[in-house]
Amino acid sequence: MAALVAPEAAAPRGPTEAGETTEEAELSRSLSRLLPGLEADSKMGRRRALEALQRALEAAQFQAPDADPDAAAAAFQGPWVHLLLPRLLRRLADPAEGCRTLAVHLLGLGLRRAARPRDALPRLLPALVARLASPEPARRPPPEACEELRLALVQLLGLAVRLAGAAFAPHLDDAVRALRCTLLDPFAAVRRESCECAAGLARATPDHFHMQSESLIGPLMQSISHQHWKVRVAVIEATGTVVQLGSGKSVDDVLPHFAQRLFDHVPQVRQAVTRVVGGWLLSLRDRYSFFHKLIPLLLSSFHDEIPEIACEATSLWERVGLQWQTENEEDLKDKLDFASPPPAHHPSPGSRPGLGCRELVFRNLSKILPAIWHDIADWVVGTRVKSAQLLAVLLLHAEDHITQHLEPVLRALLRACADEEAAVVYSCERSAELVGTFVSPEVFLKLMLPTLRKSPSPPGLLVLASLIRGCPREALLPHVRVVAVELAQDHICRGSENRLYGERLLQCVQAVVSVGQEDCRGASEPLLEVLVTILALWGPTGLGNKVQETLAELAAVEGVDSSQDLFRAHVSSLLEWLAASHQDWTGHSVELLQLVVVLTHSGPALGEALPQLVPILRSCLQPARDPAMRLKLFSTLTGVLLKAPETVDSQGQLRGYLDTLVQDILVPNLQWHAGRTAAAIRTAAVSCLWALVSSGVLSDGQIQDMQETLMPQILTTLEEDSQMTRLISCRIINLFLKTSNGVIDADKFIKIYPELLKRLDDISNDVRLAATSALVTWLQRVQREASKCCYESSIRHLYRELLVYLDDPERTVQDAVLEALKAGSVLFPDLLVKETEAALHKHRSPTHCEQLLQHLQALPPAQ
């Protein structure tokens, strides 16, 4: 402090000294009476002196209302510099905080009142540095311990900068040294004030500031991630001014930190970055050297979640493009004079970027893209999302110039479309659509199709679908069938069982159909094959509804009313496609699933395709073939036969293939073989037979012919472990008996009822009731025979057995048996009366026997 106090030793200049005005002399005398108190030993004495001095400086007596302000400032200049300033600077180190506070305030008053504030800088700046600067600001606290005082000191420094202007240049080093410490101050308000001071310093000394600007970048970047968002905003704005008026070399040091602030959760911070970067693109001296680094930052704000920020970024970018266009008008003369309209297929022709914006992107694209490729694979989700969004913006500006970078663009899209983050995938889809819009399909298909052949994958299919969606219809026309045939290839169509793969494959078909429209008619067959495969492999996983919608679109393109009509047009080629490999099918074959789809979706078209369909079924349902495949086929065939009039018999031709169905398909599979698998196949075969005979498409004569062949096997299946098999077998026997006309073979006929009687002891009530119903039909059939007497012994046995079940624990079985006995009572009523009376006393309840006897008594006498 010795240097600061040295002038104090000199006696104040008297009023008679040469050059001193009367006002200045009077002011010096007034101040001289107050100054000794500043050196008092007591804290209170010094404080009172400072307060008195404050009142004196603020009192109106120092400037009359009608006095000239310039004259008053000139009168104050001398006493201020020679008397007040040295003593006030000394009080900046006063032990009392209140005295230091008053001293800072008085220094501010003095600077504002003085005619030449710059005269105070040689003494003021060293004193401020002494109170604010620490040798190691990151480790040691500043000399001034009070936060509010440090804030006031920085404000005083800012005031000196504003008042001195360009004259502050000689003291730039001191100011920068102080700011390097205050920019890292623990008190947030000090950091904000320091940022404003740094920006003001740059504006005040533009000709010299570039020599010291780099010294401030380090502290600024250390504060750019401060926890207070207002500090972050102040740092960004100050950095913008410091770099703008300082050294352009600092841009490289600043940009990584600015890029991180684009992910800030506070909109004001992101907006500050957008404004600063936009300002640099407009007015930075070396901006042409940094275009490739600054453009991505500004364009990244196009997709900000706050619409105001996105709009401001768009507006700034338009200004940048127009300014660059004006500055390079000579280079762009031909393009300006002969400006081409937006491409007819431009995604947004009304808001197409200007020529300057497009040229800026195109000329810097080769420098920007490598950074995009790096960031789009970053481990941080936010970075990947921003990079993917930025890529779409760049491609929209680049238009047909994308072709030069097509291979790395597609490679990056393939990698990014495998991202787990939906936002990344969405932006990449948009980018691929833009590539499809501006690049000829002949070019991008030469790169995409070999990639899919080599390694089909969901990302590859998604990129292809997006490329096709963006492609103009007229450009895609020559390539529709090429794409469709490629998609129908087995290595692509069945490249994976992953659901996502099927979804992406479906998107490819949807893209071809939606873009190609009527042009798809020549490629509908391979497209239908792909859709059949998707239904076969992924229909059960939830894609079924989407495939049906696509089938409806393809049918509309074909000019038919529904998907069934679409299958009708192609069922023959589909079956021919499948028949080529049916000899090698197993239960795991995709072709089997494809056949199931064709069978379940073709509807009436199956009636026209029987000549192709039946040989495939006969071959695949032989007992030597894979059991799992036979089960699947029988199940599907059962569903088809249940609706035979609307499917396989739509043309009334099923009767012509009845022998094949019975002799070559059903009979071999009804043969008994050991094992659960064989039992399951017999169940499936019985179900298929029931569907056939109950469909209503066969005449009684045809069913009777089937009965002669199948009755022995059906009687055998009554003993199956499967309840379903036993139940259906009872129903089939019942139907066979109902349709039986003409002369019957008594030996074969007599063997039926004992098997049905056994089913009355079945564990399932449904089977017991079905067997009882079949016995009623059997008795009715005997009644129609002329030689009923031949069956008397069998009927007697049947009466006796049925009477036992009149006392069954199950009421429904009792009622069913009673109805059966009533139905059969007309055959030998006397015999039945005798047997009933014999069994009456053996039953727990005689009710049903009595009802039966009453019924028998009511019968008319036998003729």
Side-chain angles (χ1 to χ4, degrees):
M1 296 297 296
L4 298 177
V5 181
E8 194 176 344
R13 293 185 296 170
T16 59
E17 187 175 337
E20 190 175 58
T21 64
T22 304
E23 293 82 358
E24 186 176 351
E26 181 62 28
L27 181 58
S28 297
R29 284 194 296 270
S30 299
L31 292 176
S32 297
R33 292 192 296 270
L34 301 174
L35 292 179
L38 297 178
E39 304 301 328
D41 294 334
S42 69
K43 175 176 68 174
M44 293 304 298
R46 297 194 299 275
R47 184 181 182 91
R48 283 194 292 270
L50 287 168
E51 290 172 349
L53 187 59
Q54 179 182 357
R55 290 192 295 272
L57 288 176
E58 293 174 350
Q61 63 186 10
F62 288 99
Q63 182 177 353
D66 57 348
D68 183 6
D70 294 335
F76 180 71
Q77 180 67 30
W80 157 248
V81 173
H82 298 292
L83 297 177
L84 276 178
L85 181 63
R87 291 166 175 78
L88 290 176
L89 291 177
R90 184 172 181 175
R91 296 278 64 80
L92 290 180
D94 195 286
E97 182 180 314
C99 295
R100 299 199 301 275
T101 302
L102 287 170
V104 173
H105 179 65
L106 291 171
L107 285 169
L109 288 177
L111 284 176
R112 291 186 181 92
R113 293 179 62 86
R116 296 185 302 280
R118 60 181 179 274
D119 291 350
L121 297 181
R123 293 178 178 178
L124 177 64
L125 263 296
L128 292 178
V129 172
R131 298 305 299 165
L132 292 174
S134 172
E136 298 181 15
R139 297 182 181 180
R140 297 184 182 179
E144 177 53 64
C146 178
E147 292 179 341
E148 289 76 9
L149 263 175
R150 293 200 300 275
L151 176 60
L153 288 169
V154 175
Q155 291 171 339
L156 181 61
L157 176 60
L159 176 64
V161 170
R162 290 193 297 275
L163 294 176
F168 199 91
H171 310 284
L172 197 57
D173 289 352
D174 287 337
V176 168
R177 187 145 58 94
L179 289 174
R180 282 176 57 83
C181 296
T182 57
L183 284 170
L184 300 176
D185 196 276
F187 188 28
V190 173
R191 294 201 189 199
R192 287 165 51 194
E193 190 65 33
S194 299
C195 290
E196 295 180 12
C197 184
L201 185 63
R203 288 188 287 267
T205 59
D207 296 334
H208 303 84
F209 183 73
H210 65 278
M211 295 184 292
Q212 290 290 339
S213 64
E214 294 182 46
S215 301
L216 293 175
I217 296 300
L220 283 169
M221 293 305 98
Q222 287 179 261
S223 295
I224 201 170
S225 57
H226 193 273
Q227 61 181 348
H228 291 185
W229 68 266
K230 291 184 178 180
V231 173
R232 299 197 295 275
V233 170
V235 168
I236 291 168
E237 293 173 347
T239 303
T241 305
V242 167
V243 173
Q244 178 89 30
L245 300 172
S247 172
K249 298 177 182 178
S250 303
V251 174
D252 290 331
D253 300 326
V254 169
L255 289 183
H257 298 277
F258 272 29
Q260 288 299 316
R261 288 307 101 208
L262 287 176
F263 299 98
D264 201 291
H265 64 281
V266 178
Q268 289 89 336
V269 177
R270 301 195 301 273
Q271 187 173 37
V273 174
T274 301
R275 288 174 176 171
V276 169
V277 172
W280 285 351
L281 283 168
L282 287 168
S283 53
L284 189 67
R285 284 193 293 267
D286 299 331
R287 60 185 181 278
Y288 276 61
S289 302
F290 298 106
F291 270 149
H292 66 285
K293 297 180 179 180
L294 296 175
I295 288 174
L297 293 184
L298 182 58
L299 297 187
S300 294
S301 296
F302 275 32
H303 290 280
D304 196 277
E305 61 186 16
I306 303 299
E308 290 77 7
I309 298 177
C311 290
E312 185 169 0
T314 303
S315 176
L316 283 169
W317 176 239
E318 291 174 356
R319 289 173 55 195
V320 170
L322 287 173
Q323 178 178 299
W324 185 87
Q325 181 178 316
T326 303
E327 294 171 350
N328 296 270
E329 194 169 354
E330 288 299 321
D331 293 344
L332 302 174
K333 183 173 177 57
D334 291 341
K335 294 182 179 181
L336 289 171
D337 293 343
F338 306 100
S340 60
H345 50 275
H346 195 282
S348 52
S351 57
R352 185 190 187 193
L355 176 61
C357 296
R358 300 199 308 273
E359 284 291 321
L360 265 177
V361 169
F362 163 58
R363 298 189 181 199
N364 292 276
L365 192 60
S366 59
K367 298 177 182 177
I368 298 174
L369 287 179
I372 297 287
W373 308 153
H374 178 270
D375 288 348
I376 209 168
D378 195 86
W379 68 275
V380 178
V381 173
T383 303
R384 300 200 303 272
V385 172
K386 281 285 186 184
S387 300
Q389 292 172 342
L390 176 58
L391 178 59
V393 176
L394 292 172
L395 296 180
L396 180 64
H397 283 75
E399 296 187 354
D400 55 350
H401 296 297
I402 302 170
T403 308
Q404 301 178 21
H405 310 280
L406 184 59
E407 187 172 356
V409 167
L410 292 179
R411 190 164 54 245
L413 291 176
L414 287 170
R415 184 169 61 251
C417 281
D419 202 289
E420 296 178 355
E421 185 65 30
V424 176
V425 176
Y426 173 79
S427 295
C428 289
E429 285 186 69
R430 174 62 179 151
S431 296
E433 289 175 8
L434 291 171
V435 173
T437 300
F438 297 117
V439 178
S440 167
E442 184 176 358
V443 177
F444 67 69
L445 287 176
K446 285 182 179 178
L447 295 174
M448 280 304 303
L449 294 184
T451 301
L452 285 176
R453 292 190 199 107
K454 182 179 179 181
S455 178
S457 63
L461 292 171
L462 179 59
V463 172
L464 178 61
S466 302
L467 288 168
I468 294 171
R469 276 200 302 271
C471 191
R473 177 180 172 183
E474 60 276 9
L476 186 64
L477 173 59
H479 309 281
V480 169
R481 183 163 181 82
V482 174
V483 174
V485 170
E486 196 67 37
L487 292 175
Q489 297 300 312
D490 287 347
H491 63 279
I492 294 179
C493 196
R494 296 185 279 176
S496 171
E497 295 185 2
N498 186 296
R499 184 187 185 277
L500 182 61
Y501 188 92
E503 189 174 342
R504 300 307 189 213
L505 183 61
L506 177 60
Q507 287 179 337
C508 288
V509 178
Q510 290 172 333
V512 173
V513 174
S514 62
V515 175
Q517 296 294 319
E518 286 77 9
D519 301 335
C520 294
R521 290 182 177 179
S524 57
E525 183 178 323
L527 290 175
L528 184 57
E529 291 176 5
V530 177
L531 291 174
V532 166
T533 304
I534 296 172
L535 272 177
L537 292 175
W538 301 287
T541 64
L543 291 182
N545 292 335
K546 293 182 180 180
V547 175
Q548 293 298 338
E549 294 174 2
T550 310
L551 283 170
E553 293 177 11
L554 187 58
V557 165
E558 282 277 286
V560 295
D561 296 333
S562 65
S563 59
Q564 283 194 351
D565 294 330
L566 180 65
F567 274 94
R568 180 191 293 272
H570 297 282
V571 67
S572 178
S573 59
L574 288 173
L575 290 174
E576 182 179 352
W577 166 55
L578 294 171
S581 61
H582 74 276
Q583 298 290 348
D584 303 320
W585 290 0
T586 68
H588 302 288
S589 297
V590 176
E591 293 87 351
L592 172 63
L593 300 176
Q594 291 170 329
L595 176 62
V596 170
V597 171
V598 173
L599 290 176
T600 53
H601 287 76
S602 296
L606 292 177
E608 304 172 7
L610 287 177
Q612 293 173 280
L613 176 61
V614 172
I616 297 176
L617 295 176
R618 180 176 56 195
S619 173
C620 294
L621 291 173
Q622 292 306 302
R625 300 298 296 274
D626 182 66
M629 176 184 67
R630 287 188 285 155
L631 282 173
K632 183 69 176 177
L633 269 181
F634 268 128
S635 176
T636 305
L637 186 57
T638 299
V640 171
L641 289 173
L642 284 172
K643 301 178 180 178
E646 304 168 10
T647 56
V648 289
D649 198 46
S650 62
Q651 305 299 314
Q653 297 178 0
L654 182 61
R655 297 176 178 85
Y657 297 91
L658 197 56
D659 287 344
T660 302
L661 288 174
V662 174
Q663 299 291 344
D664 298 339
I665 295 178
L666 293 175
V667 171
N669 287 282
L670 287 172
Q671 295 293 334
W672 189 90
H673 296 282
R676 293 183 179 180
T677 302
I681 291 175
R682 289 194 296 275
T683 301
V686 168
S687 301
C688 187
L689 175 59
W690 171 247
L692 176 62
V693 297
S694 63
S695 63
V697 300
L698 301 181
S699 64
D700 290 350
Q702 289 171 324
I703 295 178
Q704 188 172 356
D705 293 341
M706 293 174 60
Q707 173 186 346
E708 296 177 0
T709 304
L710 293 172
M711 184 62 85
Q713 281 83 3
I714 298 302
L715 290 175
T716 303
T717 57
L718 286 172
E719 301 291 339
E720 290 287 345
D721 293 336
S722 169
Q723 173 188 328
M724 181 61 66
T725 306
R726 300 194 303 271
L727 177 61
I728 296 175
S729 297
C730 290
R731 292 174 178 175
I732 292 173
I733 292 172
N734 195 359
L735 183 61
F736 280 171
L737 292 172
K738 285 181 179 179
T739 57
S740 177
N741 294 311
V743 181
I744 61 175
D745 187 336
D747 293 335
K748 294 180 179 178
F749 186 71
I750 209 72
K751 295 178 180 178
I752 296 175
Y753 86 90
E755 301 299 329
L756 293 173
L757 273 175
K758 294 178 184 178
R759 291 305 99 214
L760 292 181
D761 290 324
D762 201 281
I763 193 174
S764 168
N765 284 334
D766 291 337
V767 176
R768 299 173 75 191
L769 294 174
T772 305
S773 178
L775 284 171
V776 171
T777 306
W778 187 86
L779 289 168
Q780 292 172 345
R781 183 67 184 84
V782 172
Q783 187 178 353
R784 296 202 301 270
E785 286 295 306
S787 56
K788 293 184 288 184
C789 58
C790 299
Y791 296 96
E792 184 174 355
S793 61
S794 299
I795 298 299
R796 179 185 289 109
H797 179 258
L798 180 58
Y799 283 165
R800 289 176 180 173
E801 294 296 325
L802 289 177
L803 285 169
V804 173
Y805 295 101
L806 275 182
D807 198 33
D808 195 89
E810 288 292 334
R811 180 62 181 267
T812 55
V813 175
Q814 288 179 321
D815 294 340
V817 170
L818 178 60
E819 294 303 320
L821 286 169
K822 289 180 179 180
S825 63
V826 296
L827 293 173
F828 302 101
D830 296 336
L831 180 59
L832 181 55
V833 169
K834 181 180 178 181
E835 295 294 337
T836 303
E837 290 175 346
L840 181 62
H841 68 281
K842 300 177 183 179
H843 287 193
R844 290 169 299 176
S845 172
T847 304
H848 286 82
C849 288
E850 292 172 353
Q851 292 178 9
L852 179 58
L853 288 173
Q854 291 174 3
H855 172 76
L856 288 170
Q857 290 173 0
L859 289 176
Q863 297 296 327

